[in-house]
Amino acid sequence: MKKDRKIPEFKKYKYSVAAVDLAAFTIIENELNVLVVKMKYDPFKGERALPGGRIRTYESIDECARREFYEKTRIKNIYLEQLYSFGDVKRDPSMRIISVAYLVLVNNGGIDLKTTEKYEEICWIPVSKVPKLAYDHSKILKYALLRLKSKLTYTNIVYNLLPQKFKLSEMRKIYEIILGRELDKRNFRKKIFSLDLIKEVGKEAGVPHRPSKLYSFKVKKPMVVEIF
Amino acid sequence: MKKDRKIPEFKKYKYSVAAVDLAAFTIIENELNVLVVKMKYDPFKGERALPGGRIRTYESIDECARREFYEKTRIKNIYLEQLYSFGDVKRDPSMRIISVAYLVLVNNGGIDLKTTEKYEEICWIPVSKVPKLAYDHSKILKYALLRLKSKLTYTNIVYNLLPQKFKLSEMRKIYEIILGRELDKRNFRKKIFSLDLIKEVGKEAGVPHRPSKLYSFKVKKPMVVEIF
DNA sequence: CCAAAAGTGTTGGGGATACACCCATGA
DNA sequence: TCATGGGTGTATCCCCAACACTTTTGG
């Protein structure tokens, strides 16, 4: 009986608020990093979470995700993809929020991030070192990582994590980091070239070993390509 | 200038309402059918649309989808999977609605459907004969069909479209209908058996030709299986 | 000449595809 | 015996995975 009383407490909210949460990734020093914030206010004050915010009535969900990310990082030119909507009744203890999760990929995550009025801190941290997150954000992060792995294997989205010009070994390294396993150098090369995705655009210089050729993507549009 | 005035009109809504829309499929007479309703009220009065409804504050999104489907069809035991959230500002001309689209699969769609107070009519219609739908529902339907095709090829979800006991030819027929191409009888058989998904449970009787063996799925849980 | 990373070919096996004929039953 | 759909085997091809040595540069 007592248990039953718990559910109706959410009925006091007439509306379910819609929001977005961002699982944003970048590669820093051969590690996959995710953007996390430290909450400034209750509930979850002091805990880590994914950045996010409410959807305004005059913007689409994609626009909201892009705006939120820009406001928090001042980074433009990102890749953005809707993941999944999370709406458990009690995912936010303070009110009923339905959150649309987004995958964000950035190729220059190293640049400085300023904190905002909403969060105590905002920073990139290696995925391997992420603590338990507030709300259901650990679940969202897990989901985002799954999608990222999956998309790497059958699309060209890796271009969003690479600089304009890059070495093939850098590209392979990103695959190895995210998939969590080593890839054969020769087979990787064969596969990528067979897909006709990249073109040679120069040559590395000033390295104490055989210089690498530099490549660039022919097209930077999401495509299905079946890499593995 | 005039154009700019159009956007702020949506600001008059303080909240974005969250809802679900259902793309529900079943096989009827060797055709893929989708559940559509005829709208009773403006806007879109008289037009066809996918069924759907608002998310209540005390139910999760999945629960809402399940409830909506049950209320409209009185069918239980369905397969349900979240697809994507649609939230263009003007997708509903009357107010700002963010809608979480669901894929629903039913294996006994032929049973009678009663209309409800909200809709003028609710019925299954062949996907090949669906007219342009209200709201952005044509877009949702297209997305759902893509996902359905895709999921057929790498999971066992086909069991949601088959009766308890079925012939292998019925199973193959469903693949052919949804994928839109013929499949080699021998190769299909080899592939399905190699995946160890189904078991023999009997034999057809009373047909004027060699009776078919009947099969049943060993497990009815979603699994990744790479069928094609 | 040494260290360091880049670049390069071949082979074997497994899974996918293509393809045609016999079988079991009811009428 | 005939019409109908059910059931079966083989040969080929291509893609993937495994694997080790040579090349180019700066110091």
Side-chain angles (χ1 to χ4, degrees):
Chain A
M1 282 303 132
K2 220 174 182 180
K3 214 173 159 190
D4 288 340
R5 272 192 210 116
K6 278 187 158 174
I7 292 168
E9 85 189 32
F10 280 87
K11 287 192 176 178
K12 70 187 173 193
Y13 302 110
K14 190 166 176 193
Y15 297 97
S16 301
V17 173
V20 304
D21 283 314
L22 306 175
F25 298 100
T26 198
I27 303 284
I28 299 173
E29 288 168 11
N30 283 336
E31 278 209 84
L32 183 66
N33 279 246
V34 61
L35 191 68
V36 297
V37 297
K38 196 182 253 182
M39 303 304 292
K40 212 167 182 175
Y41 306 112
D42 275 329
F44 301 116
K45 182 180 173 181
E47 287 188 45
R48 302 282 186 175
L50 301 179
R54 292 194 190 178
I55 301 172
R56 298 179 183 166
T57 53
Y58 52 84
E59 67 188 358
S60 71
I61 318 179
D62 282 7
E63 283 162 3
C64 172
R66 198 168 289 277
R67 175 184 56 72
E68 284 287 340
F69 188 77
Y70 179 72
E71 286 179 1
K72 260 118 201 166
T73 63
R74 300 288 150 185
I75 299 172
K76 287 186 175 181
N77 289 325
I78 55 162
Y79 172 79
L80 193 140
E81 170 182 329
Q82 192 193 112
L83 284 173
Y84 196 82
S85 294
F86 294 83
D88 281 356
V89 173
K90 302 201 178 188
R91 58 181 295 280
D92 185 328
S94 57
M95 75 178 303
R96 179 67 199 285
I97 296 199
I98 285 166
S99 178
V100 187
Y102 273 78
L103 171 67
V104 179
L105 301 180
V106 186
N107 70 15
N108 53 350
I111 69 172
D112 53 325
L113 300 170
K114 288 152 201 145
T115 175
T116 62
E117 73 288 346
K118 186 171 169 186
Y119 303 123
E120 196 179 311
E121 193 186 347
I122 182 163
C123 61
W124 297 103
I125 63 176
V127 165
S128 59
K129 298 193 180 94
V130 175
K132 181 158 176 10
L133 300 175
Y135 308 103
D136 55 358
H137 288 187
S138 290
K139 197 160 106 184
I140 295 178
L141 175 58
K142 199 172 156 190
Y143 190 91
L145 284 167
L146 268 179
R147 177 81 68 98
L148 176 57
K149 277 188 196 183
S150 164
K151 280 274 181 138
L152 262 198
T153 67
Y154 72 90
T155 75
N156 63 346
I157 56 163
V158 67
Y159 75 79
N160 297 289
L161 292 167
L162 284 165
Q164 185 66 26
K165 294 179 178 186
F166 55 88
K167 300 190 282 184
L168 208 55
S169 60
E170 293 174 322
M171 182 168 168
R172 182 163 47 85
K173 191 72 192 168
I174 289 182
Y175 275 90
E176 292 181 339
I177 291 166
I178 296 174
L179 299 183
R181 62 189 165 95
E182 290 203 341
L183 297 174
D184 182 85
K185 195 162 54 157
R186 282 163 293 189
N187 293 337
F188 184 81
R189 175 174 284 268
K190 256 180 295 181
K191 187 67 198 177
I192 298 301
F193 287 146
S194 79
L195 293 171
D196 195 34
L197 293 174
I198 61 178
K199 57 173 186 260
E200 208 182 315
V201 291
K203 211 174 168 186
E204 201 183 17
V207 289
H209 55 77
R210 177 169 177 173
S212 171
K213 288 173 182 168
L214 296 176
Y215 299 92
S216 196
F217 274 84
K218 290 189 176 177
V219 289
K220 294 203 170 188
K221 295 285 168 202
M223 287 166 36
V224 171
V225 290
E226 297 291 346
I227 290 165
F228 297 113
Chain B
M1 283 302 131
K2 220 175 182 181
K3 215 174 159 189
D4 287 340
R5 272 192 211 117
K6 278 188 158 177
I7 293 169
E9 85 189 30
F10 280 88
K11 287 192 176 178
K12 71 187 172 191
Y13 303 111
K14 190 167 175 192
Y15 297 97
S16 301
V17 173
V20 303
D21 283 315
L22 307 174
F25 298 100
T26 199
I27 303 283
I28 299 174
E29 288 169 9
N30 284 335
E31 278 209 84
L32 183 65
N33 280 245
V34 61
L35 191 68
V36 297
V37 298
K38 195 182 252 183
M39 303 304 291
K40 211 166 180 176
Y41 307 112
D42 276 328
F44 301 116
K45 183 180 173 180
E47 288 188 43
R48 302 283 185 174
L50 300 179
R54 292 194 189 178
I55 301 172
R56 298 178 183 167
T57 53
Y58 53 84
E59 67 187 357
S60 71
I61 319 179
D62 281 7
E63 283 163 2
C64 172
R66 199 169 287 278
R67 175 185 55 73
E68 283 288 341
F69 188 76
Y70 179 71
E71 286 179 1
K72 260 120 200 164
T73 64
R74 300 290 152 183
I75 298 172
K76 287 186 176 180
N77 289 324
I78 55 162
Y79 172 80
L80 191 141
E81 169 182 331
Q82 193 192 110
L83 285 174
Y84 196 82
S85 294
F86 294 83
D88 281 357
V89 173
K90 303 200 178 189
R91 59 182 293 282
D92 185 329
S94 57
M95 74 178 306
R96 179 66 199 284
I97 296 200
I98 286 166
S99 178
V100 186
Y102 273 77
L103 172 66
V104 178
L105 301 180
V106 187
N107 70 15
N108 53 349
I111 69 170
D112 54 323
L113 299 170
K114 287 151 199 146
T115 176
T116 63
E117 73 288 345
K118 186 171 170 185
Y119 303 123
E120 196 178 311
E121 191 185 349
I122 182 163
C123 60
W124 297 103
I125 64 177
V127 165
S128 61
K129 298 194 179 94
V130 174
K132 181 157 177 10
L133 300 176
Y135 309 104
D136 54 359
H137 288 187
S138 289
K139 197 161 106 184
I140 296 177
L141 175 57
K142 198 172 158 188
Y143 189 91
L145 284 167
L146 267 179
R147 177 80 68 96
L148 176 56
K149 278 188 195 183
S150 164
K151 280 272 179 138
L152 262 198
T153 69
Y154 72 91
T155 75
N156 63 345
I157 56 162
V158 67
Y159 74 78
N160 297 289
L161 292 167
L162 284 165
Q164 186 66 27
K165 294 180 180 185
F166 54 88
K167 300 189 280 183
L168 208 55
S169 60
E170 292 174 322
M171 182 169 168
R172 182 164 48 84
K173 191 70 194 170
I174 290 182
Y175 275 91
E176 293 181 338
I177 290 166
I178 296 174
L179 300 182
R181 62 189 165 97
E182 290 204 341
L183 297 173
D184 183 85
K185 195 162 55 158
R186 282 163 292 191
N187 294 336
F188 183 81
R189 174 175 285 268
K190 257 181 292 182
K191 186 68 199 178
I192 298 301
F193 288 146
S194 78
L195 293 170
D196 196 33
L197 294 175
I198 60 179
K199 58 173 186 261
E200 208 181 314
V201 290
K203 210 174 168 185
E204 201 182 18
V207 289
H209 55 78
R210 178 169 175 173
S212 171
K213 289 173 182 168
L214 296 175
Y215 299 92
S216 195
F217 273 84
K218 289 188 176 179
V219 288
K220 293 202 170 188
K221 294 284 167 200
M223 286 165 38
V224 172
V225 290
E226 298 291 349
I227 291 166
F228 296 113

